[in-house]
Amino acid sequence: MTFACFHWIGRCLVSRGLFIYNKWIHEAGPELGSTDPVTGQVVWKGCTARPQEIDAAVAAARVAAADWAKQELSQRREIIERFAGLLEEHSGAMALAISREVGKPDWEAATEVRSMIGKVELSIEAHERRCASFVGGTAVARFRPHGVVAVLGPFNFPGHLPNGHIVPALLAGNTVVFKPSEQAPLVAEETVALWEKAGLPAGVLNLVQGGGDVGAHLVEHPGVDGVFFTGSARAGVAINTRLAGTPQKILALEMGGNNPLIVHRVVDREAAVLLTLQSAFLSAGQRCTCARRLIVERAEAGDAFLEALVTGAARIRVGHHTERPEPFMGPVISPVAAEAVLKAQAGWVARGGRSLLESRRLRAGSGLLSPGIIDVTEMVEREDGEVFGPLLQVIRVDTFDAAIEEANRTVFGLAAGLISDDREAYEVFRRRIRAGLINWNQQLTGASGAVPFGGVGLSGNHRPCGFFAADYCSYPVASIEIPEVRRPATLPPGLE
């Protein structure tokens, strides 16, 4: 494991600053910090970008845009591949930053870094397949970058998800101003430091730190041509509202979901339980694809499946990333987030939900929560929202048809899954379910970068990322091209 890119003082990393036109800027706005969500220890200290730093970052990206777009694709690709190599070289340090800042177990943080590395090759392939120039007679279509794009990242995958916007955006010839989650500034800074080391020209990638006010200023900036966002539906809707009067800005939204998972006609109950546990509780329930609603048929799944599920959930190992043997689950992002999960659980029970397994805070003042499972079948006024944590709702229905209707009873449409040995049931499910990601006998949190990733309804705006991120990183320009001036073969009436 290498720590070459880190500047630790004690156990706290002192920020390099904001990154604007390939310079680290230390004199900026109010202090910003991030903490270990289990211990509360400060792991990073830095500063917030003020309006003048945001303006400077956009101006730097604007200055760099023309030359970066004019470079040959092979030149941009060479730098991006160099970044992937540096990620490989510093993978241990990057994984440690993820674990320390957002609490992921070491094994899970390592998989996130692997996804970041893999995104480069996938993005190159996607650009070649979806953005290649094509010719039809004298008609030609070519793709052009938008210019300056803002990337707003989340905390749950602080490396991988912003990377999924930044890599294809740079490959297409855009320049970027990156505003990470204020809860994960360390990972963003370390990522940008590797881009700097890879040799990106000045201004091509700029980093501004801060909260919602920084994001709002960046989103509305007249020098920004596009906004690529991953985060909550609430924040995504706010961005969409802010940009309602500027349709010239490309907007790609990847938001959350109230994701259903149906269990139907399963022989191997243990396998179904394991798939359900991973679907609901991976990343402490902080993946946008986590199962939020488990839908079971009374006659088929019944009490036996739920009893096995509760037993399995109660045995899940939860802890700090340094603990050995390693935990399956780390904390939610903060003690405040943990309190919100427990408050939601209490509300469900107060309205008639039946607790099958109570989620509990495992360490005072921390984000460590045990998994919770609540039967909400008889609950009054069941909410259609996303509780971002290890809390699973159970809904019992009488038929498979009712299960599909229940699954579709949401304004979201990100992910939906079926665990079943019945292929005919899956074909019905696949045709009728309304979601952008549909899995069969695979954990709901399983997704591939080789296909699109995104949802419908309040889960997105029909611009999926993943392999299809190439689509929103550039736009087609159509031309009819004739190499010499010559008289038209035919003329319309009145022009002879």
Side-chain angles (χ1 to χ4, degrees):
M1 181 181 294
T2 176
F3 299 89
C5 61
F6 278 45
H7 302 292
W8 297 102
I9 296 180
R11 292 188 60 79
C12 175
L13 185 143
V14 177
S15 169
R16 297 174 177 85
L18 311 176
F19 190 66
I20 300 173
Y21 208 67
N22 278 28
K23 293 182 180 179
W24 293 99
I25 310 297
H26 299 281
E27 295 77 17
E31 185 177 287
L32 180 70
S34 63
T35 58
D36 182 316
V38 174
T39 67
Q41 184 178 52
V42 175
V43 299
W44 181 93
K45 284 184 179 179
C47 57
T48 299
R50 297 167 298 188
Q52 56 262 44
E53 282 90 38
I54 302 169
D55 293 346
V58 173
R62 178 63 61 195
V63 167
D67 285 344
W68 181 245
K70 282 193 299 185
Q71 282 200 14
E72 294 292 333
L73 175 60
S74 60
Q75 294 175 294
R76 296 197 297 269
R77 174 175 171 170
E78 181 181 348
I79 294 173
I80 291 168
E81 288 176 332
R82 202 150 57 230
F83 166 72
L86 288 166
L87 265 178
E88 183 82 55
E89 181 182 343
H90 296 284
S91 59
M94 187 63 68
L96 178 63
I98 293 168
S99 292
R100 294 200 67 201
E101 192 161 58
V102 303
K104 288 188 179 185
D106 290 346
W107 66 266
E108 188 181 356
T111 64
E112 179 169 351
V113 178
R114 294 305 312 171
S115 295
M116 293 175 70
I117 297 168
K119 172 56 65 177
V120 169
E121 184 177 345
L122 284 169
S123 296
I124 290 169
E125 181 186 353
H127 187 84
E128 289 174 348
R129 288 174 55 183
R130 302 192 65 79
C131 300
S133 301
F134 58 93
V135 179
T138 58
V140 182
R142 302 180 182 88
F143 289 82
R144 183 178 296 173
H146 298 289
V148 177
V149 299
V151 172
L152 280 65
F155 70 81
N156 60 334
F157 281 89
H160 174 52
L161 290 180
N163 192 62
H165 294 306
I166 292 170
V167 170
L170 294 178
L171 189 66
N174 299 283
T175 55
V176 175
V177 180
F178 174 30
K179 203 247 18 127
S181 166
E182 63 272 30
Q183 294 174 301
L186 164 60
V187 176
E189 184 176 297
E190 293 305 320
T191 302
V192 171
L194 293 183
W195 278 112
E196 179 190 22
K197 192 173 182 179
L200 271 182
V204 172
L205 176 62
N206 306 273
L207 173 67
V208 293
Q209 302 276 17
D213 55 338
V214 174
H217 189 95
L218 180 59
V219 163
E220 294 181 330
H221 200 289
V224 169
D225 300 300
V227 177
F228 304 160
F229 168 81
T230 303
S232 71
R234 178 186 56 80
V237 169
I239 291 171
N240 190 65
T241 301
R242 287 180 180 275
L243 296 183
T246 53
Q248 68 271 24
K249 290 190 180 186
I250 182 76
L251 175 61
L253 298 174
E254 196 278 289
M255 302 181 286
N258 189 11
N259 308 310
L261 179 65
I262 297 175
V263 176
H264 169 77
R265 294 186 185 174
V266 173
V267 172
D268 190 338
R269 182 186 300 155
E270 180 182 354
V273 166
L274 289 172
L275 288 171
T276 302
L277 292 175
Q278 292 185 81
S279 297
F281 302 122
L282 190 61
S283 304
Q286 296 177 118
R287 294 195 181 194
C288 55
T289 51
C290 276
R292 308 296 175 194
R293 295 175 293 146
L294 173 65
I295 304 169
V296 297
E297 294 167 68
R298 290 183 175 92
E300 293 193 19
D303 292 335
F305 172 76
L306 291 176
E307 287 173 7
L309 181 69
V310 169
T311 299
R315 291 175 178 169
I316 286 177
R317 193 159 51 243
V318 184
H320 193 260
H321 74 93
T322 59
E323 294 179 17
R324 296 295 182 270
E326 285 195 81
F328 171 74
M329 264 173 51
V332 295
I333 188 62
S334 69
V336 172
E339 191 59 40
V341 173
L342 297 177
K343 183 178 179 180
Q345 176 180 245
W348 294 352
V349 172
R351 295 199 303 277
R354 183 166 62 92
S355 179
L356 305 181
L357 180 66
E358 182 185 6
S359 177
R360 297 177 293 107
R361 196 189 295 267
L362 299 179
R363 185 184 301 185
S366 81
L368 286 174
L369 294 175
S370 64
I373 302 175
I374 312 295
D375 187 333
V376 300
T377 306
E378 306 301 328
M379 192 174 83
V380 177
E381 297 180 358
R382 197 158 66 237
E383 296 173 357
D384 180 20
E386 182 182 43
V387 177
F388 216 55
L391 199 57
L392 178 65
Q393 302 173 71
V394 173
I395 302 169
R396 300 174 188 248
V397 295
D398 292 323
T399 65
F400 183 62
D401 191 66
I404 293 180
E405 290 181 4
E406 179 62 47
N408 279 333
R409 194 169 290 127
T410 177
V411 295
F412 297 93
L414 182 58
L418 175 67
I419 300 175
S420 175
D421 297 317
D422 187 340
R423 184 177 189 92
E424 184 177 339
Y426 173 66
E427 293 301 325
V428 172
F429 176 81
R430 182 181 61 79
R431 287 194 301 270
R432 291 180 56 189
I433 207 71
R434 188 169 181 268
L437 306 166
I438 298 174
N439 283 357
W440 179 31
N441 294 332
Q442 161 72 12
Q443 65 195 59
L444 200 51
T445 49
S448 169
V451 291
F453 183 95
V456 295
L458 268 186
S459 294
N461 67 333
H462 305 281
R463 290 191 172 91
C465 53
F467 201 79
F468 279 25
D471 293 17
Y472 59 73
C473 289
S474 60
Y475 65 96
V477 177
S479 306
I480 295 176
E481 300 178 350
I482 300 171
E484 60 183 22
V485 179
R486 57 178 185 260
R487 178 185 175 87
T490 60
L491 295 172
L495 196 61
E496 295 90 341

